Every structure is written in C-alpha cells, then in structure tokens.
Amino acid sequence: MNKVCVIGVGHTDFNSMTPDMEWKEFMYEACQKAYVDAGIDPRKDVDSFITCAEDYYEGFGIFDEFVPDQIGATLRPCGTVCGDGIHGLGNAFMQIKTGLMDIVAIEAHSKVSDLLTFGDVVLFAFDPVFERPISGPVERPNFAGSPSYTKKAPKPLIGSSKETERIHPYFLAGLEMQHYLRKTGTTEEQCAKVVVKNKKNAFRNPYADYEARIRVEDVMESEYMFKPVKSLDIAPTVDGAVCIVLASHKKAKELGVDPIYLSGFGYCSETPWLSTRGMDAGYAKVAAKMAYKMAGIKKPRKEIDIVEVDDKFSYKELQHLESLGLARSGEAAELLEEGELDVKGSLPTNTSGGLLGVGNCLEATGLQKSLEIVTQLRGHAGKRQVPDCEVGLAQSWRGIPTGTGAVAIFTREGR
Amino acid sequence: MAKKQAMPKSAPGTHVSTKDIVNKKIAYTWWEPEVQYSWSVGPAMSRFLEELKNGKIVGRKCRKCRRVIVPPRMFCEHCYGPTDEWVYLKDTGSVETYSISYLDADARRIKEPILVGVVSIDGASPKHGFMHYFGGMKPEELHIGMKVKAVWKPKEEREGSIRDIIYFEPVKKGGRKK
C-alpha cells in the first residue's frame, strides 16, 4: 500500500490575541507557507483539502462553507472534520492510502480571541439534561482566555428564583487531577515541574507565546482554580494556525522532497458520561495501540525518540505519557524529575513548549504537536533540536469535557 | 438475500398526542447558551468599512488574474496569491439578480415587500459586488441589468457598516432625484 509522507508544513505565529488579522487571513498565512514549503501550487497540485474546526469555537453555523478560499480549495474537493487536527491527518491518510488522492492539505486553527465566552462554549458541550444544570453560565474570560471562577446566574432557568453561584466547567480537570494524584502517588509539586519545563522549552521555540522563566514555587503559589489545579497548571488559550501537506510516497519522490513519513495514527472516543467514564485517559491508550500497530511499534518506550503530548493541564502531560505506554503508572513524574523528559533526556517531551508554553490552540493542538515532531525529525528545530531522532509521536486530546483523543506516529524512514 | 427484520413493525404503547404536550406530560430540558463573539475583521474589511464611512466603496486588485475584487480580500481565491493594490470604485452598479420578499424574518407576510438582490459594482470585475436592498422604485420596475446607485446614510450616522448604504435606487437621467 501507499506510504504516506509529510511534504510541507506551515504555521502562523502563535499569539494570545491577533486583532491585526481576520481568521481567513490567518488560515491563508499558514496554508501559503505550507504550500511554499512543499513546493506546490494548491490550485493545481492539491487533490483534496481538509479543515478541522468546531462551529462553536468559530462562531459560525456550518463553518465548512467559509473555508475554501483561504486554503486554496475554491471549487475543489474540500471538507471539514469536526475534530482535532490529527483526526484531519487521519482522514487525509486514508484518502491517500486508498489511492484516490495523491496530495492532501490539512489545516487547523484557533482564533479563540474572537470568542469572548470560551467558558460558555465549554459548558455547552456538557450533557444538557444531567450535567449542564449543575454547572452554569460563567464570566467572560479576559482576552488571554484565563478562565474565571463563577458568576451570578442572570436568572435561574428552572426551579427556584434564588440566584446561585455557579461553577466553571474546568472543575472537571480538578476531579481528574485529584484522581490521578491519588492513584499514581504523583504530587502537585511534580505537576508544577511540568509547567516549569514546558515554559522553559518555549523560550527556544520562536512561535511560542507563553515562555517564562518560573520556579516550582511560582506554580505552587499560584491561586487554586479547581483544587488541586492551580492557575499556572492551566494552558492559557492562544490563536494560531497550522497547515500540513501529505502526499503519497510516489508523489513525494516526483516532487523531489525529503519526506517525513506518517506511519501510523489512531483515534478514539470514550463515553460522554462524565461521572462513569474512566479518569485515566483511556482514549489515549486505545488510540496509541491502534497507531503503534499500524507503525509496527512493539516497544514504544524504546522505539520512540521524541513525543509531544497534550498538556492542556500540567498533570495531563504525565497522565498521557502513562496512557501512551511510555511510562508505567506513576513513573512519568519520576522520569520528569530525573530529567528524562528534557530536550537532552531519553524521552524528550513537549520540546515545543507544549500547550503550557505555546498556548492551548484548541482543534489545532494535534497539528501543532505534529508540526513540532516533523520539525524535529527534519532536523530543523534549531536550539531545541533533539539529536538523532527517527521516530516521533504526537498526541492530542479535545479538551474538557471530551474523552476524545488521537495519536500520530511520524518516522524518518518509511514503514 | 433479505435479512430478517429485528424491529417490530410497530412499537407497543400509545402515540403521543398534542394534548400530552400541552398537559406537560412530556419531559423537556431547556438551555440558553450565553455565547458571544467579537471577530477581528482584518486589513481588507477594516479598510472597506472605514471607507464606507467616507461614502466610498473600495476594492482590491489582483494583477495576475486582472481582477478587481469587491468586497476586498487580501488574497485572491483564483490564483491563491496575495492581492496587489487598493482601487476606489463608483457607488453605482447594475442589478445582477434580485428577489422580492413577501415574508419577514419570522415568515409572516408583510404588506410592503422587501426588494433584495446582488449589485455588480461599476469599476469592479464583472459579477463582483455585494448583496443589498433596493428602494426608490416600485417592485415591478426592478429588473436584471438595471443601473442603480447607492443611497447613503447622512455622514454623521455612518458607523462603518454595509448598512451605511441604505439601499440602491435606480439611476435617473440628469442625476438622482432627492
């Protein structure tokens, strides 16, 4: 079967707000750079286009319709995946594997600074009968998107006329982190070290927006938001767009590019019942199993040289590493403290700065992670370059309140 | 080969009637999302809206495609290159297509029909223009190809919106009737 290669990547700068550009111009920048990187003309060479977006984040009904112009897809096969960027990569992967398409472009972005009520959109993703009523309307986040706690409900919808304080939907992270710490013996300090590491890594990533030189104490002293989650444990939201161009191996050779291979991907969703589903990122476990099998990876810890895992909250990085089979339960924090997750360690993790350092870019998360892996495997990562990396893993989670995740495996050699 | 149907032909029980709904025998849940957006409009639309305040319509030119695009965009969807320069256009044009709407937004019949359509703006490439309302004419006068001109709000009332143009009216010989 066709091997699938990455032949081009492009991205915008990542910024907490981008009032200078419309979302269309933002997408255009990322895609144009990717096409130039691949050395192709999208109007002739790209067979199919995919955007990954969620209508409520965008503020448009049927966002799909607004996509073609800025990605070069006017009057061409084009579709939107309502999911993370890696879901889009997976779709493109299949289109190429079938032999139907030779070159497919995938774009994902976050223009979350246009969304004034991020918390309300998150809440709107809760089950309307059972789970939404116990949460509630929330204050507008500021432009950096840091969530606020509670606000007075404007008027109770059903039931008593008494005004009640309502909770921010991010409390779910508090529940899960509490569970994770207890189950694995990981401490809050160890989670704080994830924040320190990622924000430090972000200094070496020119497009990251939340780089900072902070100490563990700074994280520990930051306010509790949803105990045990503190304000610095949360990845602040960011605007950013990424485009990746995939091609069949044959086409990549014709174009004369030095490809990185997309050798496996997997995706999975858990039950939406928040109170009964697992709290150990089972979605990552299943998605990784699928991806490992496809890429022929038997011993992930030994075979994988670099990983980018979802760190929308600090503990998520450790939890995901364990779910991906890269550490035993409770071992991720030890690896972190031993320096193994550093750029120079044996399992470099989130060298881009992760979402804690780059910013939470919503549905673009998977592509931001993939972008970093491809950049590293190409040897283009500059000061943060991990030497001799051959196999990299990108993993994403669709964020609260979802139980959906995806994994992509990239390799230097075709498999 | 036909499969055996596992579903019963009709579900057992009683059909729900309007009465059941009126008598609140059906359980519903209700929620009103409080979602707000504020989209940055970017360089192309910023200039366009700003110029509307001045009573002017501005487009962008793509030299490669020899196309004057209005409303303006910073990139050309045909050749995928960036557009090259700003071009001032006239506030006149011709009716590309139209419809006469006898319903309001709630689908109720209205007495005075609303005239709506697409205007190709003079100075822009053919079929480049925007959707707007028509006025200053009887519905039966409106036709494809009709020459029309923008009727602007007074300068002090303009706010940088496409509604700074109230509607397009027919161009009359010897200038516009006031």
Side-chain angles (χ1 to χ4, degrees), chain A residues 13-280:
Chain A
D13 204 7
F14 282 58
N15 278 303
S16 60
M17 59 192 292
T18 48
D20 51 329
M21 254 196 274
E22 194 193 17
W23 49 274
K24 284 180 194 159
E25 291 148 4
F26 208 50
M27 291 167 70
Y28 176 74
E29 184 186 331
C31 294
Q32 182 68 290
K33 284 177 174 171
Y35 302 142
V36 169
D37 186 37
I40 54 169
D41 174 358
R43 302 299 292 147
K44 285 194 235 128
D45 302 328
V46 178
D47 300 309
S48 150
F49 299 81
I50 296 171
T51 288
C52 308
E54 150 57 49
D55 286 4
Y56 271 96
Y57 288 149
E58 308 297 335
F60 291 78
I62 321 180
F63 179 74
D64 322 32
E65 289 299 306
F66 296 87
V67 163
D69 287 13
Q70 60 270 26
I71 63 175
T74 306
L75 289 172
R76 306 292 295 280
C78 175
T80 300
V81 171
C82 183
D84 176 80
I86 295 179
H87 288 92
L89 277 183
N91 273 266
F93 182 87
M94 292 188 275
Q95 290 181 3
I96 294 171
K97 281 278 185 191
T98 60
L100 190 64
M101 308 291 183
D102 278 327
I103 302 184
V104 183
I106 307 98
E107 188 274 350
H109 59 272
S110 156
K111 195 74 158 75
V112 65
S113 67
D114 285 350
L115 167 58
L116 302 181
T117 53
F118 178 62
D120 282 305
V121 170
V122 175
L123 182 63
F124 206 50
F126 279 52
D127 175 84
V129 179
F130 184 64
E131 276 134 6
R132 219 181 288 162
I134 68 153
S135 196
V138 287
E139 207 171 86
R140 280 185 197 183
N142 61 31
F143 275 104
S146 64
S148 55
Y149 300 102
T150 53
K151 93 166 190 193
K152 297 255 193 294
K155 65 171 189 244
L157 306 173
I158 297 164
S160 86
S161 61
K162 206 179 131 211
E163 285 202 335
T164 47
E165 289 271 309
R166 291 189 175 188
I167 189 169
H168 189 285
Y170 267 27
F171 76 89
L172 274 190
L175 305 184
E176 204 182 67
M177 182 170 173
Q178 193 80 266
H179 183 270
Y180 174 76
L181 297 184
R182 168 61 80 87
K183 186 182 145 219
T184 60
T186 305
T187 64
E188 286 183 45
E189 281 84 355
Q190 288 171 320
C191 294
K193 284 176 187 170
V194 174
V195 184
V196 174
K197 169 181 73 75
N198 290 0
K199 284 190 181 288
K200 188 179 146 201
N201 284 351
F203 270 111
R204 293 181 166 184
N205 179 355
Y207 70 77
D209 196 37
Y210 292 98
E211 68 273 32
R213 190 146 288 137
I214 54 167
R215 302 160 305 157
V216 174
E217 302 90 85
D218 297 322
V219 182
M220 293 305 290
E221 284 161 17
S222 66
E223 293 179 291
Y224 274 119
M225 305 295 262
F226 319 95
K227 195 174 178 177
V229 176
K230 292 169 287 297
S231 66
L232 285 176
D233 285 315
I234 304 172
T237 54
V238 78
D239 292 351
V242 186
C243 176
I244 293 185
V245 185
L246 296 184
S248 63
H249 182 246
K250 194 172 157 243
K251 198 77 194 175
K253 279 217 154 166
E254 271 176 39
L255 290 166
V257 293
D258 180 22
I260 299 297
Y261 294 84
L262 174 57
S263 297
F265 89 100
Y267 60 106
C268 153
S269 291
E270 283 205 49
T271 162
W273 286 99
L274 301 176
S275 44
T276 49
R277 76 182 181 204
M279 290 227 173
D280 54 353

